Amino acid sequence: MAELQPVRGTHDLLPDDMRAHRHVSDRARDVAATHGFDEVATPIFEFTNVFARTLGDTSDVVTKEMYTFEDKGGDMLTLRPENTAGVCRAFISNGLAQHAPVKYFYSGPMFRHERPQKGRLRQFHQIGVELIGAPQPLADVEVIACGRAILEALGIADNTVLELNTLGDTDSRQAYRAALVEYFSGHIDKLSQESKDRLERNPLRILDSKDEGDRKLVADAPVFSDYLNPESVDFFGTVKEGLDALGIAYRLNTRLVRGLDYYCHTAFEFTTEMLGAQGTVMAGGRYDGLIEQLGGPSTPGVGWAAGIERLSMLVGEQAPAADRPVVVVPMGDAAERQALVSAKVLRDAGIRAEYAFSGNMKKRMKHANKVNAWAALILGDDELARGVAQLKTLDDGEQREVPLDDLAAACHRG
Ligand code: ATP
Ligand code: MG
């Protein structure tokens, strides 16, 4: 029955998946904290305008991918497709300008009505950071360094490449934009329909087109570096020097663009060749005009977002397994009551403990193996009378007597 399947492009996170997700977000949160980013959570839905204004009505997300609905009060709401807009909205709503610069980390679900395929979901999860209120290029360096440190902590930095570009300041971008419009207009008959539509409103996005014909034209298109003014060149130079000082390698990629006007200066992505076509794991950049575009005070910002599903796939088997429990195995009525108490003692001491209550001894030991226990704590009437239990380590079958009044110490895995 279709209703009993998850909605297309969504998935259940069963314990192994959930552990991998938690591993990614917990490590990321810890590393972000060492860089001074504190966690925030904004609502998973916002007024549609929050996204319509910030993502621009020509972006893929707004034109095709938003989950928008009218609620019972007649408000148009949208499930967040990304979290930068929500964090910036929160910055304005909470009057945080007086505390700027602020540094935030987030982790949570995002929603986009995309064509589902490997690595591309309709409900997916992102971690991200935003540094709001700092116009200096060192803020860009700090944000990138934090992303890189998270990839290192996850053990996957060596599987990724940092691609880096600059979109310059407003003047540079306008000059470049004009050059692109002129160039592509001269070849308009060879452009895909989608790129024709973008030509006037969002010509930078053509550089990003996946259409064969477009790509050929793009190969000979004007390059941004020829249109950068000295201020923009300086800004980018400082970013590169900062990365050099930190030993963070990068590959310059002049095709790395963001289509919207408030994106400026640094644009970057950490990409991998290990995930096929969906190779971008972390994407970010500077968005100095975004908060103003939303209706707030003119405030610069820089940040990135990374897909937890893609990070988890890269982390793969390196994610920690579940703790192996001690299984308490009582034999006899008196022992059953003692088992409850013994398990509580272990649990209170932070040791994962389970019971095996049903069937004969053989069946109970089978259960212990099934839940991947490292030890069985066997309680029999004889032992009980003497105030002890048998602790059997399951990997080697060795057994030793342990005192019931000092169980927690005896059952710590050595
Ligand atoms: P793409 O060009 O792949 O569509 P995008 O520009 O839409 O990427 P961003 O909005 O920059 O991606 O999102 C940042 C990161 O979030 C991506 O690099 C990816 O890891 C993850 N991500 C984005 N969309 C999805 C999705 N539909 N399913 C899973 N992860 C996603
Ligand atoms: Mg996309």
Side-chain angles (χ1 to χ4, degrees):
M1 210 161 87
E3 290 78 27
L4 294 182
Q5 297 298 319
V7 174
R8 203 160 169 246
T10 68
H11 61 177
D12 301 311
L13 294 170
L14 297 180
D16 283 343
D17 310 311
M18 198 64 223
R19 219 168 358 254
H21 269 237
R22 277 258 175 259
H23 173 63
V24 168
S25 57
D26 288 351
R27 295 303 293 126
R29 181 181 301 104
D30 290 348
V31 173
T34 66
H35 289 68
F37 292 88
D38 283 322
E39 185 167 21
V40 293
T42 63
I44 60 167
F45 52 85
E46 298 272 355
F47 290 115
T48 298
N49 259 338
V50 169
F51 304 111
R53 279 197 206 148
T54 55
L55 296 172
D57 55 9
T58 59
S59 80
D60 285 351
V61 172
V62 170
T63 50
K64 295 184 285 205
E65 299 174 358
M66 293 206 312
Y67 276 97
T68 296
F69 59 98
E70 188 180 328
D71 79 352
K72 290 190 173 133
D75 287 321
M76 290 309 287
L77 305 179
T78 295
L79 299 184
R80 64 185 188 190
E82 52 90 44
N83 209 174
T84 303
V87 169
C88 289
R89 194 274 307 139
F91 178 85
I92 301 169
S93 315
N94 293 284
L96 297 176
Q98 54 176 325
H99 301 294
V102 295
K103 297 164 74 176
Y104 295 137
F105 167 85
Y106 63 81
S107 171
M110 309 293 159
F111 307 84
R112 297 184 194 176
H113 195 273
E114 307 214 56
R115 199 165 61 78
Q117 47 189 296
K118 188 171 178 290
R120 208 174 268 296
L121 294 152
R122 289 181 172 173
Q123 175 175 341
F124 61 103
H125 300 78
Q126 283 183 337
I127 50 169
V129 302
E130 313 291 355
L131 200 175
I132 300 175
Q136 298 86 356
L138 287 191
D140 307 45
V141 176
E142 187 176 29
V143 158
I144 295 173
C146 176
R148 162 87 197 183
I150 289 170
L151 298 175
E152 277 168 13
L154 292 171
I156 57 178
D158 292 343
N159 301 331
T160 65
V161 172
L162 169 60
E163 303 195 41
L164 188 68
N165 193 22
T166 178
L167 307 176
D169 62 9
T170 310
D171 290 345
S172 306
R173 226 163 31 259
Q174 268 165 8
Y176 183 50
R177 193 189 156 101
L180 282 182
V181 172
E182 190 186 323
Y183 170 78
F184 286 119
S185 299
H187 300 84
I188 191 144
D189 44 321
K190 288 186 225 134
L191 275 182
S192 68
Q193 188 54 47
E194 198 173 21
S195 291
K196 275 183 197 149
D197 294 341
R198 281 176 171 156
L199 185 56
E200 288 301 330
R201 302 171 77 174
N202 206 343
L204 263 68
R205 281 300 303 276
I206 300 177
L207 300 176
D208 203 20
S209 167
K210 300 196 165 77
D211 177 89
E212 263 316 294
D214 289 351
R215 292 190 91 114
K216 281 189 195 132
L217 287 181
V218 166
D220 294 321
V223 288
F224 214 148
S225 47
D226 293 340
Y227 295 84
L228 292 173
N229 58 19
E231 295 79 17
S232 301
V233 172
D234 270 0
F235 190 102
F236 197 40
T238 308
V239 173
K240 288 186 287 188
E241 277 164 27
L243 294 174
D244 291 340
L246 289 170
I248 299 176
Y250 49 84
R251 186 158 76 197
L252 295 177
N253 176 358
T254 55
R255 302 294 174 220
L256 191 67
V257 292
R258 303 254 181 285
L260 304 171
D261 282 344
Y262 54 77
Y263 282 112
C264 60
H265 294 297
T266 318
F268 63 93
E269 287 185 358
F270 283 91
T271 60
T272 180
E273 292 185 343
M274 298 177 79
L275 296 177
Q278 274 23 288
T280 303
V281 290
M282 188 180 275
R286 182 166 272 283
Y287 50 81
D288 287 354
L290 191 153
I291 289 176
E292 200 172 6
Q293 180 96 8
L294 255 182
S298 169
T299 311
V302 54
W304 53 255
I308 298 183
E309 281 79 4
R310 290 184 200 176
L311 291 170
S312 298
M313 277 192 275
L314 281 181
V315 171
E317 301 299 305
Q318 298 171 57
D323 263 0
R324 295 175 71 182
V326 173
V327 170
V328 183
V329 183
M331 298 307 291
D333 288 345
E336 276 197 6
R337 281 189 298 279
Q338 178 61 41
L340 293 172
V341 175
S342 295
K344 174 169 163 52
V345 168
L346 295 177
R347 289 168 173 174
D348 286 351
I351 297 169
R352 182 170 175 142
E354 308 247 25
Y355 317 108
F357 272 146
S358 81
N360 59 18
M361 185 69 175
K362 192 170 159 213
K363 204 162 162 214
R364 293 180 189 205
M365 293 307 284
K366 220 168 149 181
H367 175 77
N369 279 314
K370 191 177 149 221
V371 298
N372 195 27
W374 69 272
L377 186 75
I378 303 164
L379 297 170
D381 289 340
D382 290 354
E383 279 97 347
L384 222 55
R386 287 192 291 122
V388 297
Q390 299 291 333
L391 185 72
K392 180 173 184 172
T393 48
L394 298 181
D395 290 342
D396 59 12
E398 266 177 41
Q399 197 162 310
R400 67 190 153 91
E401 221 166 73
V402 294
L404 283 179
D405 61 8
D406 198 16
L407 260 191
C411 292
H412 263 294
R413 234 181 133 185

